Structures are given as C-alpha cells and as structure tokens.
Amino acid sequence: MDVFVIEGGRKLSGTLRINGSKNAALPLLAASLLTDDPVILRDVPDLSDIRNMYRLLAELGVESNTEYDDQGISKASLKVVDNSEFHARYDIVRTMRASICVLGPVLAKRGKARVSMPGGCAIGQRPVDLHLRGLEALGATITLEGGDIVARVPQSGRLIGDMVFLGGPFGSTVLGTANVMSAATLAVGTTIIECAACEPEIVDLANMLNGMGAKITGAGSPRIVIEGVESLGGVDHTIMPDRIEAGTFMCAAAITKSDLTLENCPLDAMMSATDRLEAIGVHIDPVDHPDRVFAEDPLRRICKVSCSETLKPVQITTQPHPGFPTDLQAQFMSLLCLAEGNSVITEKIFPERFLHVAELTRMGANIHRHGTTAVISGVNKLTGAPVMASDLRASASLVLAAMAAEGTTVINRVYHIDRGYEKLEDRLSEVGASIQRANEEEVAAMGLMCE
Ligand code: EPZ
C-alpha cells in the first residue's frame, strides 16, 4: 500500500484551483439515472469514490465517457442505455457507502431498487433509516432481504408525493435528502420535505434536477417542495467547487504560515469555516479577477489566504450546514495543535470522528478527548513520525500536521486520501510542499519506517 513521505517546515506559495465537489458529484452522478436523455456534468473530480460510482452506474445501464478541456477541466457525458437493472451489488456498495444515493433515482425511474445495505465506517455506524423512512413516506414498500434494501413503488407504478420529515438525532441527512428529493421529482403530486439538509451540495443537486425539468423550490432551506413531473430530460451542469477541499487548503496555508491564492473557491458555501479561520488569525481576502467583466460568482471566487504570526485558540462545534462542517473538524484540529492556548472541538454529527487524535498525539500534539469533545492544548511544535491514515478527512489532517512538523512523516494507507483529494501530493508539491508518494519498498530504501 502506498504511503506519503512528507518533509515538514516548507513554506507554500502560489495558486491552487479548487476542484468540483466530491460530495456534490456523487448524488449528481446518481441523478443521471432519472432520465433517458444525455446528461453532461462538468468538473467532476477524478477520485476513487467517483470511479467507483461510474462502475456502479455502468452496472445499472449507464454509459459514460469523460473528456478534458485545455485547462484540464473534466466533461463527463452520461446516458442510460438499459433500464432493466435495479441492483446495486454489495461488492461496490461496501467500497463506497455513498452508493446509497442511487436508491432514490433507481426506485423512482425503474419502479424497483435493490441496494446493498451500506456498512459503517471509521467515523461511525452510518445508518440509513431516515432514507428508508423518507421513501416509505412516498409510498414505497421497503424490505430487507439478505443484507439488501429492496424498495418497490406502489401498484400504480409511481411514487406518491407527500409530507416527509427527515429529522434524526443528529439533525437531517444529506444523502437522505438527496435520495428523497431525487425520487420525489418523478412522483405523482407534490412532496414537502421538512427538516431537509441545507448543505450547498443539496442546492447544487436541486439546480441540476431543475435543469432536467424538475420543479423544486426551497433547496438550501429546511423545507424543500418538489412538484412531481412525468419525466425528466437531459442537462449540461457544472458541479460546484469543493468547500471541504477549499477549507483543507486554507488550513494548509495557515499551518505553514504561508500565503496562498485559491481559485474557484466557494466562499459563499463555507462562511462557518472562514469565520473560524479569521478567529484563529487567518486572513481570507477575496480578490476580483482583474480582467473579468462579469460579477464574481459567489461560489467561484479567487481569494488570497494569509496568516498572522501566532495562531489563536478557538471553540468549534460541528453542526449541520450552515454550521461548522464535520468534514473540516480533523483539519482544524491539526491547525489548533499549534495555536497559543487551549481550543475546544465538539463533534455533534459523528461522535466517533476522532481517530486522528491518537495519530496527532504521536506527532507531539497535546489533545485530550472527553466523549464528543476534544481539548487541544497548543504546543510549540509537532515532530514528524510514522502515522496511520484511518478515514478520508483524518488523513488530510495528518498531511497538514506533517507539513508543519519538524522532520519527516510517513503516512500509511493513503488510499483513504485518494478517495477525496485529487492528486493531493502533486498539487501541494506545486506550491512548495515536500510530499511524495512511495511504496513500501521505496520507504524501506529511504531507511524510513512504514506500517
Ligand atoms: C454526507 O454523508 C457526506 N458524504 C459526509 O462527508 C458528511 O460528513 C455528512 O454528509 C455530514 O455532513 C457525502 O455527501 C458523500 P448524513 P451522509 O446522512 O449524507 C445520521 C466526507 O468526508 N443519520 O448527513 O451519509 C448519521 O449517522 C464524508 O466527505 C441517521 O441517523 O451523512 C450522522 O450522525 C464523510 N440516519 C448524521 O445523521 C440516517 O438515515 C448525518 O449523516 C442518515 C444519517
């Protein structure tokens, strides 16, 4: 298994472009199942999770082809060529639990769906009860058969619009909202989703679906109204930039005390994160492109990131959007390891999302976890060490810590990173980081330790 070898202490400088959002792309790719017309999605990131989704869509009768323009921006063309399959098999779903987002589209378009029940993962149990309750509210009958969710539409052949409450113990559900909203576009009558997820990725999905002829209002608010239509057509849609990647790169600039320019940055979708960064002493300054005549798209800004000499401690509590995103919790924890004073992070979405604490401690961090809260006492420095990546965002936090640490860090199991960050080592190297991918033999030849 590949590792990252990172030499800490390097300053960064230059410009990084933010890629299309993984967490928008996955439900948007699934939405291509809702029409027999051609669908074009632009700026789909090249990630292992995305490649798994293409594999799943192919099994469900979707042909896809990706081209790149001269700026390297992807253009994915998708078209359903066979509507007969309805089974998302275990061996794909187990590699990516987000496969669950094909459930709503396949059920609504084909009348039946069989999706392997996704398992848990490193950050928690990851139930889907709200997804199932939401689809049952639209008239679906759902049974569990041999580890698979089997969903069927009513005898009439179509789902029936209704009131759907999607609130759970941790707020709403992002992919559950995506599933129900997508399915409701083809239902008979009107659906009202109460306690819908307000994440920007849901807004992006609604924009794509409306471009296909759906009638959705209220996306981005806790109440979404979907007026069902007979069928949906094709669309050409550009995926919103990845706010979690943007927040990760902002932390990279801050933790190395560097100035970075970020392009295609969704500032309007990440105010809770930039609010915390400003409180820590990081400056995020939007700049208008000198030769652009159109008004900046608030989701596609250019901004300069710089950092004061000292990092200030803060309190962070992860919340559903527009609160602080749980997907940036680990990255901010790395940054706060070097703040002057005690910070407190409370994880309200995934109570077990602290696997990065032990690894950061190996690098000299001073963190004490008490249930869903971690107290981070800032230290003067971190020290490079062999560490273990455990999940996507925890891995990113280890890369950040390694970039600031004294000495060399070897991060094992970087396949976690490849799920959500495209060519991370190349892009960070381009702005000055010392980070290289190596296999175990190469690491041994360097006289370093790995897993
Ligand atoms: C999406 O996962 C994201 N993934 C996650 O990002 C993100 O952390 C999460 O939303 C929260 O923002 C994608 O979009 C592909 P949820 P999702 O359903 O939709 C509980 C990353 O690192 N819950 O909003 O699966 C659940 O246990 C990934 O990019 C139920 O109880 O998350 C959690 O505590 C990690 N029942 C909370 O709700 C359900 O039926 C939020 O989960 C569904 C969820």
Side-chain angles (χ1 to χ4, degrees), residues 22-24 26-27 49 97-98 100 123 125-132 168-176 197 199 201 243-244 319-320 325-327 348-351 353 391-393 419:
K22 165 182 85 80
N23 289 352
L26 291 168
D49 271 8
R97 64 170 303 284
I100 190 70
I123 64 174
Q125 186 211 341
R126 310 301 294 275
V128 293
D129 56 309
L130 297 174
H131 298 236
L132 306 186
F170 300 93
S172 185
T173 162
V174 176
L175 289 184
E199 271 66 8
E201 292 76 22
R243 61 193 169 106
I244 305 305
Q319 307 269 8
T326 175
D327 292 349
K348 291 268 195 187
I349 308 296
F350 294 113
R353 195 171 202 170
D391 62 273
L392 168 53
R393 306 304 176 183
R419 290 189 48 219

Side-chain angles (χ1 to χ4, degrees), residues 238-312:
T238 299
I239 291 174
M240 70 168 284
D242 193 320
R243 61 193 169 106
I244 305 305
E245 179 177 272
T248 304
F249 286 163
M250 290 175 181
C251 287
I255 206 168
T256 57
K257 299 281 177 40
S258 307
D259 295 353
L260 272 185
T261 298
L262 301 182
E263 288 192 341
N264 201 43
C265 189
L267 285 182
D268 195 48
M270 53 188 299
M271 293 172 73
S272 56
T274 52
D275 165 76
R276 293 294 79 199
L277 283 167
E278 295 284 355
I280 293 169
V282 183
H283 314 295
I284 317 281
D285 300 308
V287 294
D288 290 319
H289 201 289
D291 60 7
R292 280 213 182 122
V293 293
F294 53 85
E296 287 287 350
D297 172 346
L299 279 181
R300 293 174 175 84
R301 299 299 301 268
I302 298 173
C303 64
K304 288 191 184 303
V305 185
S306 57
C307 186
S308 323
E309 250 328 287
T310 56
L311 299 173
K312 295 190 276 297

Side-chain angles (χ1 to χ4, degrees), residues 27-201:
L28 270 67
L29 285 165
S32 65
L33 290 156
L34 288 164
T35 178
D36 295 324
D37 291 350
V39 166
I40 289 174
L41 284 175
R42 298 175 189 273
D43 209 4
V44 181
D46 181 18
L47 303 167
S48 55
D49 271 8
I50 299 293
R51 292 190 287 274
N52 275 326
M53 177 58 81
Y54 281 128
R55 200 155 60 91
L56 173 56
L57 290 176
E59 290 206 356
L60 292 169
V62 180
E63 275 183 359
S64 62
N65 171 52
T66 298
E67 308 160 86
Y68 291 86
D69 67 16
D70 47 14
Q71 271 93 36
I73 311 296
S74 64
K75 173 188 169 188
S77 303
L78 301 107
K79 183 151 185 347
V80 172
V81 294
D82 176 4
N83 270 299
S84 63
E85 188 50 74
F86 56 85
H87 186 187
R89 293 183 302 105
Y90 173 69
D91 71 348
I92 293 188
V93 177
R94 72 186 172 87
T95 60
M96 184 189 60
R97 64 170 303 284
S99 310
I100 190 70
C101 62
V102 304
L103 175 62
V106 172
L107 173 65
K109 183 72 170 57
R110 301 179 185 181
K112 181 178 178 183
R114 186 181 186 113
V115 178
S116 176
M117 175 72 89
C121 68
I123 64 174
Q125 186 211 341
R126 310 301 294 275
V128 293
D129 56 309
L130 297 174
H131 298 236
L132 306 186
R133 197 188 323 154
L135 294 172
E136 283 175 331
L138 300 184
T141 53
I142 293 179
T143 54
L144 292 185
E145 297 171 25
D148 289 346
I149 299 161
V150 180
R152 295 176 180 82
V153 296
Q155 288 298 333
S156 63
R158 286 175 70 187
L159 294 169
I160 302 154
D162 205 331
M163 282 293 294
V164 181
F165 182 73
L166 276 185
F170 300 93
S172 185
T173 162
V174 176
L175 289 184
T177 300
N179 256 330
V180 173
M181 183 171 73
S182 299
T185 60
L186 294 178
V188 176
T190 300
T191 296
I192 296 176
I193 302 177
E194 184 63 357
C195 200
C198 302
E199 271 66 8
E201 292 76 22

